[in-house]
Amino acid sequence: MTRSVTGRPGSRGVLARLRYVPGVRAVSSYRRAWLSKDLVAGVVLTTLLVPQGMAYAELAGLPAITGLYTTILCLLGYAVFGPSRILVLGPDSSLGPMIAATVLPLVAADGDPDRAVALASMLALMVAAIMILASVAKLGFIADLISKPTMIGYMNGLALTILVGQLPKLLGFKVEADSLIGECVGLVQQLADGAAVPAAAAVGLGGIALILVLQRFLPKIPAVLAMVVLAIAATTVLDLGAHGVGLVGVLPEGFPPFTIPDVRAADLVPLLGGALGIALVSLADTISNASAFAARTGQEVRGNQEMAGVGAANLAAALFQGFPVSTSGSRTAVAERAGARSQLTGVVGAALIILMLVLAPGLFRNLPQPALAAVVITASLSLADIPGAVRLWRQRRAEFLLCFAAFAGVALLGVLPGIAIAVALSVLNVFRRAWWPYATVLGRVPGLEGYHDVRSYPRAEQLTGLVIYRFDAPLFFANAKNFRDQVRRLAAADPRPSWIVVAAEPMTDVDTTAADVLEELDESLNAKDVHLVFAELKDPVRHKIERYELTRTIDPRHFFPTVEAAVAAFRLRTGAQWTPPAPSERPTGEE
């Protein structure tokens, strides 16, 4: 009798592929000694996940319950597909305003919460698709599109926007406004009209003070949990609901249903714009947090797998009435301090939230809304980096201006335009440095090898008839005329040089536009008996110059492997000697 083996090769192939799934690898390498630590860390983490999940959902303009649905599914999705052992994902304070800025204008006409949830879920679905496609295309470097100064400005603007937006909720009233200035004006008017609810203000301001004090002086105590427990206790004992304090109420019971987001076709374009911005911020957060915690745990950062993991987390959330998520440095730090060793910590957290929704949906019914505002406001304070902005002011004013421009973009134009401005400023700053690179003349300094910047060494010696010029950038269409004009000024000096030696080591490229400018420049210099000479030009760039046929005008003998070789050839040809600068050329104070 012949035994059938039909399907076995395919089964072996599936099992082989499953071994590449991070969650499967984590299970196969799991150590029994980690179990107790992961369970304890999961319990500790849950105490932070629940109030923050609800608070950040409301920050995004969505029902509080969606924050818990999102938390559950993103933790499970990342546990399967995320490569980091302890990175924690969830609703994030930096994404909340971006979600609100994308979704709320689309539901402003009818204010339907179900439509808002559907739009937010579609937004998460788009973020998931972007992250997964970026992972496949290995586009992790896109996170570098936001420079540190512009990110500081963006986050400071975001912190201010969140703070001002949450103050009305903290004080027990509402402000209808579409801009930061409008919210500030509405806030002042409402306060002047006596709209603040004293009991709500006491809960909110007391909650902020308690969280900040505990975080500062008793960091081992879970500050958010302590504040939430005390706020619920105060509501129960003092009946704060009867004194005008808004409460969360009883949450819907049970596990979130599987739901495919149903939105209008006209909504897809504005959602896509928001999704791109959210994906970019989420990617930057993920890479930075993954790098920080990987360095502390001895892991390697796998950027493309991280993108896939975050994409899977967003996909899972999107299909169960959730909204876009990112990694959280604060929650990951809590998990790490609690002893987390693997993603089982997040799975435990998700399981405990499910149990709460199934068995005790009314557990947080007496949680005051101002307490959630206090959670969001303290989180916004952690986003701000005022010392970083001050450091930029002291160290480099140009980058401080970039920081301030990004801050103003968020504060005055809104969160989504702010992230677009931050990216545009970062790219323009890179372009500006290539457009106007540093350029200088080099000279010989007695006692030092090589040739050095005459700005740093004013006593550097020069060879009569020769100028050594360094241009610190690739030569391309935007800066070629700048290079040409500077070389022409050097050629017009008195006495006129015979050779202008370009120390071309920093010149990593020459494009076709620059090649045409070089050809024109060399012809005009040759007419004045001034010769353009290149030293230390990299072979790939030299090959491009030959391909552009520039050697028709630039003498092939005027390419030297080193500056020393070019100087030696000039001295052999002319017998020129090194001479110190004339007294009139010395800087003020030199003798």
Side-chain angles (χ1 to χ4, degrees), residues 209-221:
L210 180 62
I211 291 174
L212 294 179
V213 168
L214 290 179
Q215 288 177 340
R216 176 68 176 84
F217 297 104
L218 297 170
K220 292 186 178 181
I221 294 178

Side-chain angles (χ1 to χ4, degrees), residues 421-509:
I421 288 172
V423 173
L425 288 174
S426 296
V427 173
L428 285 174
N429 190 36
V430 173
F431 189 72
R432 178 188 64 83
R433 292 176 182 176
W435 193 355
W436 295 306
Y438 185 77
T440 189
V441 172
L442 306 181
R444 189 182 76 163
V445 179
L448 291 179
E449 292 186 3
Y451 301 91
H452 304 276
D453 190 340
V454 297
R455 296 174 186 172
S456 301
Y457 297 91
R459 295 182 179 275
E461 298 174 342
Q462 302 288 324
L463 275 177
T464 302
L466 179 140
V467 175
I468 305 172
Y469 172 65
R470 192 182 70 210
F471 188 79
D472 290 348
L475 204 57
F476 68 115
F477 66 93
N479 63 20
K481 292 182 179 179
N482 179 23
F483 173 85
R484 177 198 65 191
D485 293 343
Q486 293 191 46
V487 171
R488 282 179 173 174
R489 281 195 292 271
L490 293 173
D494 186 20
R496 179 178 295 171
S498 176
W499 278 19
I500 297 177
V501 177
V502 180
E505 184 179 15
M507 202 172 285
T508 55
D509 191 22

Side-chain angles (χ1 to χ4, degrees), residues 37-38 41 85-86 334-342 345:
K37 294 179 180 179
D38 280 338
R85 285 207 304 262
I86 66 168
V334 167
E336 183 188 46
R337 288 198 300 268
R341 293 293 183 272
S342 75
T345 296

Side-chain angles (χ1 to χ4, degrees), residues 226-294:
M227 187 276 292
V228 166
V229 170
L230 288 176
I232 292 174
T235 300
T236 304
V237 173
L238 303 176
D239 193 17
L240 295 180
H243 291 80
V245 179
L247 305 177
V248 170
V250 178
L251 298 173
E253 182 178 350
F255 191 80
F258 176 84
T259 307
I260 296 177
D262 183 16
V263 300
R264 303 166 188 165
D267 296 330
L268 296 179
V269 173
L271 285 176
L272 180 59
L276 289 169
I278 290 170
L280 181 58
V281 172
S282 179
L283 176 58
D285 273 348
T286 298
I287 298 300
S288 61
N289 285 323
S291 300
F293 286 98

Side-chain angles (χ1 to χ4, degrees), residues 451 463 466-468 499-503 532-536 557-574 578:
Y451 301 91
L463 275 177
L466 179 140
V467 175
I468 305 172
W499 278 19
I500 297 177
V501 177
V502 180
L532 199 58
V533 176
F534 289 88
E536 300 181 352
R557 294 172 299 175
H558 287 169
F559 291 90
F560 293 91
T562 65
V563 174
E564 288 84 353
V567 168
F570 181 80
R571 294 187 67 189
L572 181 64
R573 176 175 173 269
T574 64
W578 291 103

